[in-house]
Amino acid sequence: MRDDMNFEADYADPTQSPDFEPGDEGLSNTSANPTFYDVVETARASRRSVLFGGLAAAVTGVFGTGLSTRGALAQTTTAGGNPVAGATATAAPTPGLLGFKAVSVGMGDTVVVPEGYTVRTLGAWGTPILGDMPAFRPGANTGAEQAMQTGMHHDGMHFFPIDGSSDDGLLVVNHEYIEPRFLHAEAYKGQALDSDEVVYDGETRPDDHVLKEMNAHGVSVYRITKGADGAFAPVADAHNRRITALTEIDIAGPAKGSKLLVTKYAPNGDRTRGTINNCAYGVTPWNTYMAAEENWAGYFTSHDAENGEPKLPRELKRYGVVAGKNGRYGWEKAAGGADEYIRFDASTKGASAAEDYRNEPNQFGWMVEIDPFKPDAKPVKRTHLGRFGHEGVVFAPAVEGKPVVCYSGDDSRFEYIYKFVSKAPFQKGVTDGSILDEGTLYVARFNPDGSGEWLALAPGENGLTPEAGFADLGEILVNTRAAADLAGATKMDRPEWGAVDPNTGEVYFTLTNNTKRTEAKVDPVNPRAKNQFGQIVRWRYRDADHAQTAFTWDLFVIAGDADTSRVFTGEALGEDNIFACPDGLWFDADSRLWIQTDIGEDNMYKGDMEQMGNNQMLCADPRSGEIRRFLTGPIGQEVTGVITTPDQKTMFVGLQHPGATTSPEDYAAGKFSSSYPDGNGAIPRSVTLVITRDDGGVIGA
Ligand code: FEO
Ligand code: CA
Ligand code: CA
């Protein structure tokens, strides 16, 4: 990592800071929330003791013994005599949970899987799934054609079996963002362009380019079936659907109707158009899909100013909307000035909020529910899950008669982890998405002693009063980050995906990296300054009851190379499993933990990251701590999205942005750093891998 690195806070426009990654938002948590080290002076020991012994030492304090972190947290009683969940961790490790031979670090422009496995691909960006089924024309399809094809930059993904089948189902895939130089390759040919650059026509953008970009965002739903040759392929079907940055979407939950959601399009604050930057996902206990809205703030701009200085409300500022410049892709500059495009300029223009789009950014940053089996049903933004940079959402296993519980990370540096607990109990066959509209949103505090607590973000709780600027629940939810600041949540190293162990109920979350954390701000759960490699935290409850507000936690793995890593067992990572920047995370039914990595393209192959090679997917046994590298992807991509068929014999894995490491000069020369999956110098495309075992066995076993 660069030692001369400048903090984004030093930049009026964070996207100009040297550490900015395309698709990321700038640092926007300027709250004075203490880290543990601000309040626990005794924990300010040496960096090494925090890294490798700090948590164990802290836990020793709780348990009064010299047990290792793992041992201590696996005990069934605490010093206070209170039983804690996680007792199953004392059981002997299941032999043979990982049954494949690890693959080496990947360097080539290809996908490598273990011996005895086969990789196919489907649904690459531009695959026709709808309407006229327009064929993919590399970088040359129209905006209207893009709406009938899969989008760009595949991320979270789920396979919804039809009638329980492992050969026939609906694949639902998020399309996080776009790489304009590949999307418009025909029009942009020969120009020296960076991966996030769009080309203006003077001051404006061509309408059809903006339309195509909006239609390359969102979510694809399409049926896939297995043919006689054993390969899955998309089929035309009434369920096939594209949800884009233009699709009409309902708003539900406590923020519905809030004055902060009133726009010219939605004078009642109850609807919006589109979903953007859909990163990871969730599947509800009633079998619907939820798409997250992650790095949406940069798509907007505002020119509101006072005395020559930008003047943005906290609903925009705390989320990193930057004033006075064009939005990320300049959608608001579409030449024709159509309403659905100019709304990305949130400047005050009318006499009231119902006459302009000052509140348009408040309609983003939510979790969006989609029922893939009801192609005509409008998606719904569920506001009680909070408004932030949602990475995704993961539901605890639903228990009849108990509240529904789900978790969501806010992926930005120093942001928080949240959970929602429904008011109503789960009733199989009765419960639907409306159960998410009433309950309590909490934010996590991780204490240095290995305990933790969930802080309610509700009127009158944790300082959230009208006097403090939170008039009602709607205002709290629109300003979730500010509410969490006030409540005193723990600032994390970029929370990404979460996963719940189906056999123990333990919750795992990836904390991908945070090179902005200083020595003075490290704490036991975020134990490294200039954290470039990331870590995975996990927690559990007494009786595995996810609705409780108290939990205990430990670090499952501190990622890195052989010198800097540590699994909870005390082992370091080595040849078969060094990795950096854990992002995607998923448990299969047997409790194999699948870990996907996302080293940003600006850091890939440089310095300490060189040894990590291409982004990869690993598989871990959560009980023994064994981790093996299962897959390495092609050049410039991140591995993101993983699910299997119900029989666990076919695994779908997403690859996002192959070729993103192409330099502007090489792009101009028509040379791309990757041409996966088509090869032979073709434009690289995000794609879904379909992985099977040659002997027809369970993936990973
Ligand atoms: Fe879209 Fe946080 O990864
Ligand atoms: Ca991610
Ligand atoms: Ca990512």
Side-chain angles (χ1 to χ4, degrees), residues 242-470:
R242 280 301 321 280
I243 289 150
T244 71
L246 293 160
T247 303
E248 188 173 339
I249 296 179
D250 280 336
I251 291 172
K256 176 182 177 178
S258 162
K259 66 180 192 315
L260 294 169
L261 292 184
V262 167
T263 66
K264 189 174 169 188
Y265 176 77
N268 298 319
D270 57 356
R271 64 174 190 159
T272 188
R273 283 168 291 189
T275 181
I276 51 173
N277 214 274
N278 303 106
C279 191
Y281 78 113
V283 179
T284 65
W286 47 96
N287 207 35
T288 60
Y289 184 88
M290 297 199 86
E293 297 183 329
E294 191 193 14
N295 294 312
W296 48 270
Y299 290 68
F300 293 93
T301 187
S302 166
H303 299 283
D304 286 0
E306 194 173 73
N307 302 324
E309 292 293 318
K311 186 171 186 293
L312 300 187
R314 63 177 172 172
E315 296 84 27
L316 274 59
K317 195 175 163 90
R318 181 64 181 83
Y319 293 90
V321 174
V322 177
K325 60 182 281 251
N326 293 341
R328 181 171 301 156
Y329 305 120
W331 288 348
E332 74 282 4
K333 295 287 193 178
D339 191 69
E340 63 268 32
Y341 303 151
I342 56 119
R343 66 189 160 121
F344 287 88
D345 178 355
S347 304
T348 301
K349 294 175 178 173
S352 75
E355 293 170 50
D356 61 27
Y357 288 103
R358 71 187 71 172
N359 286 335
E360 187 71 7
N362 299 344
Q363 299 200 328
F364 293 82
W366 307 104
M367 288 298 315
V368 188
E369 185 177 16
I370 296 163
D371 188 341
F373 292 101
K374 291 183 181 159
D376 298 325
K378 274 196 273 184
V380 183
K381 298 199 179 187
R382 298 284 177 196
T383 61
H384 215 332
L385 302 190
R387 175 173 173 261
F388 45 91
H390 279 281
E391 175 72 19
V393 66
V394 60
F395 285 79
V399 179
E400 190 72 17
K402 299 279 190 190
V404 167
V405 180
C406 58
Y407 300 90
S408 184
D410 183 352
D411 178 14
S412 246
R413 300 172 186 95
F414 302 108
E415 294 299 343
Y416 309 124
I417 297 177
Y418 298 85
K419 90 166 168 180
F420 173 83
V421 180
S422 72
K423 182 177 182 205
F426 177 71
Q427 292 177 273
K428 194 171 170 51
V430 175
T431 293
D432 62 20
S434 65
I435 198 171
L436 301 177
D437 296 338
E438 202 176 355
T440 306
L441 183 67
Y442 296 88
V443 67
R445 181 150 68 200
F446 292 83
N447 297 320
D449 65 357
S451 69
E453 58 201 297
W454 291 101
L455 310 167
L457 303 180
E461 305 252 12
N462 295 302
L464 299 170
T465 60
E467 299 72 45
F470 298 93

